[in-house]
Amino acid sequence: MDTVRIGVVGCGAIAQIQHLPFLTELAEEFEVAAVCDVSPSAVEYAAKMFHVPNGYTDYREILASDIEAVLMCHYDPKTEVVVASLDAGKHVFVEKPVCYSNEEFAEIAEAGRRSDKVAQAGYTKLYEPAYEVAKPEIEGMDNIRFVQVNHLHPNNDLHVGQFRTRTFDDIPPNVIEKTRAARRLAEHQAIGDVPPHIRRAFSTVAGSMIHDLYGLRDLFGAPSRVINTEIWQDGGAVSTTLEYPEGVRCVATWVDLPDLWDFYETLEVYGSRKRVIVSYPTGFSRDVAQVRIHEMDEDGTTFAKEPAVDWESPFRRELRHFHDCIVNGKTPRSPLIEAGQDVALVIDIVKAFLNRDC
Protein backbone atom coordinates (compact mmCIF):
# COMPACT_ATOMS: atom_id res chain seq x y z
CA MET A 1 0.00 0.00 0.00
CA ASP A 2 1.35 3.43 -0.93
CA THR A 3 1.76 5.65 2.12
CA VAL A 4 0.90 9.32 1.58
CA ARG A 5 2.98 11.95 3.39
CA ILE A 6 0.44 14.40 4.78
CA GLY A 7 0.57 17.64 6.71
CA VAL A 8 -2.19 19.06 8.90
CA VAL A 9 -2.89 22.80 9.00
CA GLY A 10 -4.83 23.69 12.15
CA CYS A 11 -4.18 21.99 15.49
CA GLY A 12 -7.46 22.80 17.27
CA ALA A 13 -10.14 20.58 18.76
CA ILE A 14 -11.29 18.75 15.62
CA ALA A 15 -7.67 17.95 14.72
CA GLN A 16 -6.85 16.78 18.24
CA ILE A 17 -10.03 14.71 18.69
CA GLN A 18 -10.62 13.27 15.23
CA HIS A 19 -8.16 13.91 12.41
CA LEU A 20 -4.77 13.44 14.04
CA PRO A 21 -5.75 10.30 16.02
CA PHE A 22 -7.20 8.65 12.91
CA LEU A 23 -4.33 9.71 10.65
CA THR A 24 -1.95 8.21 13.21
CA GLU A 25 -4.02 5.04 13.37
CA LEU A 26 -4.05 4.76 9.57
CA ALA A 27 -0.28 4.35 9.50
CA GLU A 28 -0.36 2.19 6.38
CA GLU A 29 -2.23 4.88 4.46
CA PHE A 30 -0.68 8.07 5.86
CA GLU A 31 2.53 9.33 7.35
CA VAL A 32 1.84 12.51 9.30
CA ALA A 33 4.98 14.41 8.39
CA ALA A 34 4.14 17.88 9.70
CA VAL A 35 1.63 20.00 11.59
CA CYS A 36 1.05 23.73 11.29
CA ASP A 37 -0.78 26.34 13.34
CA VAL A 38 -0.45 30.05 13.99
CA SER A 39 -0.11 29.20 17.70
CA PRO A 40 3.45 28.02 18.44
CA SER A 41 2.27 26.21 21.56
CA ALA A 42 -0.45 24.37 19.63
CA VAL A 43 2.16 23.20 17.13
CA GLU A 44 4.48 22.03 19.91
CA TYR A 45 1.65 20.22 21.72
CA ALA A 46 0.23 18.47 18.64
CA ALA A 47 3.67 17.43 17.40
CA LYS A 48 4.56 15.94 20.78
CA MET A 49 1.18 14.30 21.41
CA PHE A 50 0.97 12.64 17.98
CA HIS A 51 4.70 12.07 17.40
CA VAL A 52 4.92 14.34 14.35
CA PRO A 53 8.51 15.19 13.39
CA ASN A 54 7.98 18.67 11.94
CA GLY A 55 6.01 21.70 13.11
CA TYR A 56 5.47 25.09 11.50
CA THR A 57 3.65 28.32 12.27
CA ASP A 58 3.54 29.51 8.65
CA TYR A 59 1.59 27.44 6.12
CA ARG A 60 4.10 28.39 3.40
CA GLU A 61 6.75 26.40 5.27
CA ILE A 62 4.66 23.26 5.35
CA LEU A 63 3.91 23.63 1.63
CA ALA A 64 7.64 23.97 0.92
CA SER A 65 8.30 20.64 2.63
CA ASP A 66 8.12 17.24 0.93
CA ILE A 67 4.53 16.45 1.95
CA GLU A 68 2.18 15.16 -0.75
CA ALA A 69 -1.15 16.16 0.77
CA VAL A 70 -2.58 18.76 3.13
CA LEU A 71 -5.54 18.44 5.49
CA MET A 72 -6.94 21.86 6.36
CA CYS A 73 -8.98 22.31 9.53
CA HIS A 74 -7.76 25.72 10.64
CA TYR A 75 -9.80 28.80 11.49
CA ASP A 76 -11.81 30.30 8.65
CA PRO A 77 -11.44 31.59 6.04
CA LYS A 78 -9.33 28.82 4.48
CA THR A 79 -9.26 30.16 0.91
CA GLU A 80 -5.70 31.48 0.90
CA VAL A 81 -4.25 28.19 2.13
CA VAL A 82 -6.44 26.05 -0.17
CA VAL A 83 -5.39 27.98 -3.27
CA ALA A 84 -1.71 27.99 -2.26
CA SER A 85 -1.79 24.24 -1.54
CA LEU A 86 -3.28 23.40 -4.93
CA ASP A 87 -0.81 25.70 -6.67
CA ALA A 88 2.02 23.99 -4.78
CA GLY A 89 0.96 20.65 -6.27
CA LYS A 90 -0.51 19.14 -3.11
CA HIS A 91 -3.60 16.99 -2.76
CA VAL A 92 -6.06 18.80 -0.48
CA PHE A 93 -8.66 17.79 2.07
CA VAL A 94 -10.62 20.84 3.24
CA GLU A 95 -12.81 20.73 6.34
CA LYS A 96 -16.13 22.52 6.22
CA PRO A 97 -16.91 25.31 5.74
CA VAL A 98 -14.84 25.38 2.57
CA CYS A 99 -15.38 29.14 2.31
CA TYR A 100 -18.04 31.82 2.82
CA SER A 101 -18.52 33.72 -0.43
CA ASN A 102 -19.02 32.97 -4.11
CA GLU A 103 -15.99 35.14 -4.85
CA GLU A 104 -13.82 33.01 -2.56
CA PHE A 105 -15.06 29.84 -4.16
CA ALA A 106 -14.32 31.18 -7.63
CA GLU A 107 -10.66 31.49 -6.54
CA ILE A 108 -10.69 27.92 -5.20
CA ALA A 109 -12.36 26.55 -8.33
CA GLU A 110 -9.83 28.27 -10.59
CA ALA A 111 -6.96 26.82 -8.55
CA GLY A 112 -8.61 23.41 -8.83
CA ARG A 113 -8.74 23.73 -12.60
CA ARG A 114 -5.02 24.56 -12.65
CA SER A 115 -4.22 21.47 -10.58
CA ASP A 116 -4.36 17.77 -11.36
CA LYS A 117 -4.42 16.82 -7.66
CA VAL A 118 -7.22 15.33 -5.57
CA ALA A 119 -9.39 17.98 -3.92
CA GLN A 120 -11.88 16.66 -1.37
CA ALA A 121 -14.29 18.49 0.94
CA GLY A 122 -14.51 17.24 4.53
CA TYR A 123 -18.20 16.38 4.35
CA THR A 124 -18.21 13.86 7.16
CA LYS A 125 -21.91 12.95 7.22
CA LEU A 126 -21.72 11.45 3.72
CA TYR A 127 -19.35 8.83 5.14
CA GLU A 128 -21.54 7.86 8.09
CA PRO A 129 -22.29 4.12 7.80
CA ALA A 130 -25.94 4.82 8.68
CA TYR A 131 -26.22 7.42 5.92
CA GLU A 132 -24.73 4.95 3.46
CA VAL A 133 -27.48 2.48 4.45
CA ALA A 134 -30.20 5.15 4.32
CA LYS A 135 -29.26 6.64 0.95
CA PRO A 136 -30.41 3.75 -1.31
CA GLU A 137 -33.53 3.37 0.84
CA ILE A 138 -34.40 7.03 0.25
CA GLU A 139 -33.47 7.00 -3.42
CA GLY A 140 -35.80 4.02 -3.91
CA MET A 141 -38.80 5.74 -2.31
CA ASP A 142 -41.83 6.66 -4.38
CA ASN A 143 -43.91 9.75 -3.76
CA ILE A 144 -41.77 11.57 -1.19
CA ARG A 145 -44.16 13.90 0.62
CA PHE A 146 -41.94 15.74 3.08
CA VAL A 147 -38.35 16.07 4.28
CA GLN A 148 -37.38 17.48 7.66
CA VAL A 149 -34.04 18.32 9.25
CA ASN A 150 -33.71 19.04 12.96
CA HIS A 151 -30.39 20.24 14.31
CA LEU A 152 -30.52 21.10 18.03
CA HIS A 153 -27.03 22.11 19.03
CA PRO A 154 -25.59 22.37 22.57
CA ASN A 155 -22.44 24.31 23.39
CA ASN A 156 -19.52 22.40 21.84
CA ASP A 157 -17.57 22.77 25.08
CA LEU A 158 -19.88 20.24 26.75
CA HIS A 159 -18.64 17.54 24.39
CA VAL A 160 -15.09 18.72 23.70
CA GLY A 161 -14.57 18.58 27.47
CA GLN A 162 -14.87 14.79 27.34
CA PHE A 163 -11.51 14.62 25.55
CA ARG A 164 -7.97 15.65 26.37
CA THR A 165 -7.59 18.79 24.29
CA ARG A 166 -5.48 21.88 24.73
CA THR A 167 -6.04 25.50 23.72
CA PHE A 168 -3.44 28.25 23.78
CA ASP A 169 -3.44 32.05 23.79
CA ASP A 170 -0.15 32.79 22.05
CA ILE A 171 -1.43 33.65 18.57
CA PRO A 172 0.29 36.90 17.47
CA PRO A 173 -2.12 39.88 17.52
CA ASN A 174 -1.34 40.80 13.91
CA VAL A 175 -2.31 37.28 12.79
CA ILE A 176 -5.59 37.53 14.70
CA GLU A 177 -6.41 40.85 13.08
CA LYS A 178 -5.48 39.62 9.60
CA THR A 179 -7.76 36.59 10.01
CA ARG A 180 -10.63 38.69 11.32
CA ALA A 181 -10.28 41.14 8.45
CA ALA A 182 -10.31 38.31 5.89
CA ARG A 183 -13.41 36.83 7.51
CA ARG A 184 -15.19 40.20 7.59
CA LEU A 185 -14.41 40.68 3.90
CA ALA A 186 -15.72 37.22 2.98
CA GLU A 187 -18.90 37.73 5.00
CA HIS A 188 -19.44 41.13 3.40
CA GLN A 189 -18.96 39.65 -0.06
CA ALA A 190 -21.57 37.04 0.78
CA ILE A 191 -24.34 38.95 2.55
CA GLY A 192 -23.30 42.60 2.68
CA ASP A 193 -23.42 44.93 5.67
CA VAL A 194 -25.84 43.27 8.10
CA PRO A 195 -26.52 43.39 11.86
CA PRO A 196 -24.56 41.09 14.20
CA HIS A 197 -27.41 38.61 14.69
CA ILE A 198 -27.60 38.05 10.92
CA ARG A 199 -23.84 37.47 10.78
CA ARG A 200 -24.22 34.97 13.61
CA ALA A 201 -26.95 33.11 11.74
CA PHE A 202 -24.89 33.14 8.55
CA SER A 203 -21.91 31.67 10.41
CA THR A 204 -24.17 28.99 11.91
CA VAL A 205 -25.61 27.93 8.56
CA ALA A 206 -22.17 27.98 6.88
CA GLY A 207 -20.32 26.21 9.68
CA SER A 208 -22.83 23.77 11.19
CA MET A 209 -26.06 23.49 9.22
CA ILE A 210 -23.85 22.92 6.17
CA HIS A 211 -23.74 19.25 7.20
CA ASP A 212 -27.48 19.00 6.59
CA LEU A 213 -27.39 21.00 3.36
CA TYR A 214 -24.75 18.93 1.57
CA GLY A 215 -26.56 15.74 2.64
CA LEU A 216 -29.77 17.05 1.10
CA ARG A 217 -27.92 17.93 -2.11
CA ASP A 218 -26.40 14.46 -2.26
CA LEU A 219 -29.89 12.95 -2.06
CA PHE A 220 -32.06 15.36 -4.01
CA GLY A 221 -29.75 17.61 -6.01
CA ALA A 222 -29.58 21.38 -5.67
CA PRO A 223 -32.83 23.00 -4.50
CA SER A 224 -34.81 24.84 -7.13
CA ARG A 225 -35.48 27.70 -4.70
CA VAL A 226 -35.41 28.86 -1.09
CA ILE A 227 -39.06 29.46 -0.25
CA ASN A 228 -38.48 31.31 3.00
CA THR A 229 -36.14 31.68 5.97
CA GLU A 230 -36.73 32.75 9.56
CA ILE A 231 -33.99 33.87 11.96
CA TRP A 232 -34.73 34.45 15.63
CA GLN A 233 -33.24 34.04 19.11
CA ASP A 234 -30.66 36.76 18.35
CA GLY A 235 -29.36 34.72 15.42
CA GLY A 236 -29.17 31.49 17.41
CA ALA A 237 -32.05 29.85 15.56
CA VAL A 238 -32.64 29.44 11.83
CA SER A 239 -35.41 27.70 9.95
CA THR A 240 -35.64 27.51 6.18
CA THR A 241 -37.97 25.87 3.67
CA LEU A 242 -36.34 24.51 0.53
CA GLU A 243 -38.03 23.28 -2.62
CA TYR A 244 -36.30 20.53 -4.56
CA PRO A 245 -36.96 19.26 -8.08
CA GLU A 246 -40.20 17.30 -8.55
CA GLY A 247 -41.80 19.31 -5.77
CA VAL A 248 -40.03 17.77 -2.77
CA ARG A 249 -39.94 20.26 0.09
CA CYS A 250 -37.74 20.29 3.15
CA VAL A 251 -38.04 22.25 6.37
CA ALA A 252 -34.59 22.52 7.96
CA THR A 253 -34.12 24.00 11.43
CA TRP A 254 -31.02 24.72 13.51
CA VAL A 255 -31.38 25.92 17.12
CA ASP A 256 -28.75 26.81 19.70
CA LEU A 257 -29.46 25.10 23.05
CA PRO A 258 -26.24 25.95 24.89
CA ASP A 259 -26.92 24.32 28.25
CA LEU A 260 -28.56 21.12 27.05
CA TRP A 261 -26.26 18.09 27.00
CA ASP A 262 -28.08 16.09 24.33
CA PHE A 263 -27.06 16.78 20.75
CA TYR A 264 -29.93 16.11 18.37
CA GLU A 265 -29.55 16.03 14.58
CA THR A 266 -31.87 14.10 12.30
CA LEU A 267 -32.62 13.71 8.63
CA GLU A 268 -36.22 12.57 8.16
CA VAL A 269 -37.66 11.59 4.77
CA TYR A 270 -41.37 10.77 4.55
CA GLY A 271 -43.14 9.02 1.69
CA SER A 272 -46.71 7.81 1.45
CA ARG A 273 -45.77 4.25 2.51
CA LYS A 274 -42.29 4.63 3.97
CA ARG A 275 -40.16 6.89 6.11
CA VAL A 276 -36.41 6.89 6.76
CA ILE A 277 -34.89 8.63 9.76
CA VAL A 278 -31.14 9.07 10.29
CA SER A 279 -29.94 10.27 13.72
CA TYR A 280 -26.45 11.76 13.84
CA PRO A 281 -24.10 12.19 16.82
CA THR A 282 -22.11 15.36 17.39
CA GLY A 283 -18.95 15.64 15.31
CA PHE A 284 -16.89 15.52 18.50
CA SER A 285 -18.24 12.08 19.39
CA ARG A 286 -16.78 8.68 18.60
CA ASP A 287 -20.30 7.29 18.16
CA VAL A 288 -21.82 6.54 14.76
CA ALA A 289 -25.21 7.52 13.36
CA GLN A 290 -28.27 5.28 13.48
CA VAL A 291 -30.98 4.68 10.88
CA ARG A 292 -34.60 3.62 11.40
CA ILE A 293 -36.91 2.65 8.55
CA HIS A 294 -40.71 2.48 8.80
CA GLU A 295 -42.66 0.79 6.01
CA MET A 296 -46.09 -0.51 5.11
CA ASP A 297 -46.39 -3.75 3.15
CA GLU A 298 -48.95 -4.54 0.47
CA ASP A 299 -51.36 -5.89 3.08
CA GLY A 300 -51.29 -2.61 4.98
CA THR A 301 -49.18 -3.94 7.85
CA THR A 302 -46.79 -1.37 9.30
CA PHE A 303 -43.34 -2.47 10.46
CA ALA A 304 -40.03 -0.91 11.42
CA LYS A 305 -36.42 -1.99 11.13
CA GLU A 306 -33.11 -0.69 12.42
CA PRO A 307 -30.36 -2.08 10.20
CA ALA A 308 -27.06 -2.79 11.90
CA VAL A 309 -24.39 -0.39 10.70
CA ASP A 310 -20.60 -0.52 10.71
CA TRP A 311 -18.89 0.89 13.77
CA GLU A 312 -16.16 2.64 11.80
CA SER A 313 -15.99 6.38 12.36
CA PRO A 314 -17.02 8.52 9.39
CA PHE A 315 -13.88 10.59 9.96
CA ARG A 316 -11.80 7.46 9.49
CA ARG A 317 -13.82 6.40 6.45
CA GLU A 318 -13.42 9.72 4.66
CA LEU A 319 -9.67 9.70 5.30
CA ARG A 320 -9.40 6.20 3.84
CA HIS A 321 -11.42 7.40 0.86
CA PHE A 322 -9.08 10.39 0.43
CA HIS A 323 -6.15 7.97 0.35
CA ASP A 324 -7.93 5.76 -2.19
CA CYS A 325 -8.50 8.76 -4.44
CA ILE A 326 -4.82 9.77 -4.28
CA VAL A 327 -3.31 6.33 -4.71
CA ASN A 328 -5.86 4.56 -6.92
CA GLY A 329 -7.32 7.44 -8.89
CA LYS A 330 -10.81 7.18 -7.45
CA THR A 331 -13.16 10.15 -7.83
CA PRO A 332 -13.93 11.86 -4.50
CA ARG A 333 -17.44 11.27 -3.20
CA SER A 334 -17.34 14.81 -1.85
CA PRO A 335 -15.36 16.69 -4.51
CA LEU A 336 -14.26 20.16 -3.50
CA ILE A 337 -15.52 21.62 -6.79
CA GLU A 338 -19.14 20.74 -5.89
CA ALA A 339 -18.95 22.60 -2.57
CA GLY A 340 -19.59 25.82 -4.46
CA GLN A 341 -23.25 24.83 -4.71
CA ASP A 342 -23.44 24.66 -0.92
CA VAL A 343 -21.70 28.01 -0.48
CA ALA A 344 -24.24 29.61 -2.82
CA LEU A 345 -27.16 27.97 -1.01
CA VAL A 346 -26.00 29.22 2.40
CA ILE A 347 -25.98 32.75 0.99
CA ASP A 348 -29.42 32.29 -0.59
CA ILE A 349 -30.87 31.01 2.69
CA VAL A 350 -29.76 34.13 4.60
CA LYS A 351 -30.76 36.44 1.77
CA ALA A 352 -34.24 34.90 1.79
CA PHE A 353 -34.59 36.33 5.29
CA LEU A 354 -33.10 39.69 4.36
CA ASN A 355 -35.43 39.99 1.36
CA ARG A 356 -38.55 38.60 3.03
CA ASP A 357 -40.39 41.97 2.98
CA CYS A 358 -39.32 42.94 -0.53
Side-chain angles (χ1 to χ4, degrees):
M1 179 178 291
D2 295 331
T3 302
V4 174
R5 286 176 58 81
I6 193 168
V8 176
V9 178
C11 299
I14 200 66
Q16 293 177 36
I17 294 171
Q18 301 287 16
H19 290 306
L20 283 168
F22 284 124
L23 284 170
T24 303
E25 182 180 311
L26 294 170
E28 293 184 356
E29 289 88 353
F30 295 100
E31 175 190 349
V32 185
V35 291
C36 178
D37 197 283
V38 292
S39 162
S41 296
V43 171
E44 181 181 3
Y45 173 77
K48 181 178 180 181
M49 176 62 68
F50 297 100
H51 309 289
V52 180
N54 300 299
Y56 305 100
T57 56
D58 188 326
Y59 75 85
R60 287 165 291 198
E61 294 179 295
I62 199 172
L63 294 183
S65 70
D66 63 351
I67 60 169
E68 301 166 86
V70 188
L71 188 155
M72 282 161 263
C73 52
H74 57 292
Y75 191 77
D76 304 302
K78 304 183 183 78
T79 303
E80 179 180 338
V81 185
V82 175
V83 170
S85 298
L86 288 168
D87 285 345
K90 312 299 183 182
H91 304 286
V92 300
F93 178 111
V94 186
E95 259 295 357
K96 60 82 192 167
V98 168
C99 63
Y100 288 117
S101 70
N102 293 321
E103 290 84 353
E104 282 185 293
F105 190 78
E107 292 184 51
I108 292 171
E110 181 57 35
R113 284 188 283 270
R114 292 193 298 265
S115 172
D116 62 352
K117 301 302 180 181
V118 173
Q120 179 174 321
Y123 280 180
T124 315
K125 304 301 185 190
L126 299 185
Y127 300 87
E128 282 277 4
Y131 176 81
E132 294 176 350
V133 170
K135 183 177 178 179
E137 295 280 352
I138 294 168
E139 291 177 337
M141 289 174 65
D142 295 324
N143 193 21
I144 294 176
R145 299 291 187 89
F146 179 56
V147 180
Q148 181 165 290
V149 165
N150 292 299
H151 198 145
L152 309 183
H153 203 296
N155 188 322
N156 279 333
D157 291 344
L158 295 174
H159 300 126
V160 172
Q162 304 302 301
F163 299 90
R164 177 180 289 177
T165 61
R166 296 290 185 272
T167 59
F168 304 94
D169 60 359
D170 59 345
I171 301 174
N174 64 309
V175 174
I176 294 174
E177 183 50 40
K178 178 184 176 183
T179 302
R180 286 176 178 170
R183 181 159 179 160
R184 286 194 298 266
L185 174 60
E187 290 176 343
H188 190 270
Q189 287 176 331
I191 56 175
D193 187 13
V194 297
H197 71 285
I198 304 300
R199 290 202 304 273
R200 179 187 178 191
F202 174 74
S203 179
T204 291
V205 178
S208 184
M209 199 180 196
I210 190 70
H211 284 304
D212 309 299
L213 298 180
Y214 66 65
L216 291 169
R217 177 173 57 80
D218 187 57
L219 290 168
F220 306 113
S224 51
R225 64 180 176 129
V226 179
I227 296 174
N228 59 61
T229 299
E230 288 297 325
I231 295 173
W232 71 103
Q233 198 174 289
D234 197 30
V238 180
S239 188
T240 188
T241 303
L242 308 174
E243 183 177 68
Y244 286 84
E246 300 183 5
V248 174
R249 292 194 179 191
C250 171
V251 175
T253 300
W254 191 102
V255 180
D256 178 31
L257 299 173
D259 300 318
L260 184 66
W261 168 258
D262 291 330
F263 178 92
Y264 184 81
E265 181 182 1
T266 61
L267 166 66
E268 306 172 19
V269 182
Y270 296 88
S272 57
R273 301 179 65 88
K274 181 177 181 178
R275 64 184 175 188
V276 178
I277 301 174
V278 183
S279 300
Y280 295 106
T282 169
F284 294 106
S285 171
R286 296 285 172 82
D287 291 335
V288 293
Q290 301 296 322
V291 60
R292 185 172 177 84
I293 301 165
H294 300 254
E295 293 185 83
M296 181 179 291
D297 64 21
E298 296 301 323
D299 297 326
T301 301
T302 300
F303 62 95
K305 58 183 180 181
E306 295 186 19
V309 298
D310 291 345
W311 292 358
E312 186 178 17
S313 163
F315 284 91
R316 191 178 189 273
R317 288 167 86 95
E318 66 177 349
L319 288 171
R320 288 199 298 110
H321 178 67
F322 183 48
H323 177 271
D324 200 19
C325 292
I326 294 171
V327 172
N328 299 315
K330 295 291 183 65
T331 300
R333 288 174 50 196
S334 51
L336 186 62
I337 192 63
E338 292 184 0
Q341 297 178 64
D342 308 316
V343 174
L345 178 56
V346 169
I347 295 169
D348 288 345
I349 285 171
V350 173
K351 285 188 174 180
F353 176 77
L354 295 173
N355 299 332
R356 67 196 186 284
D357 296 325
C358 297

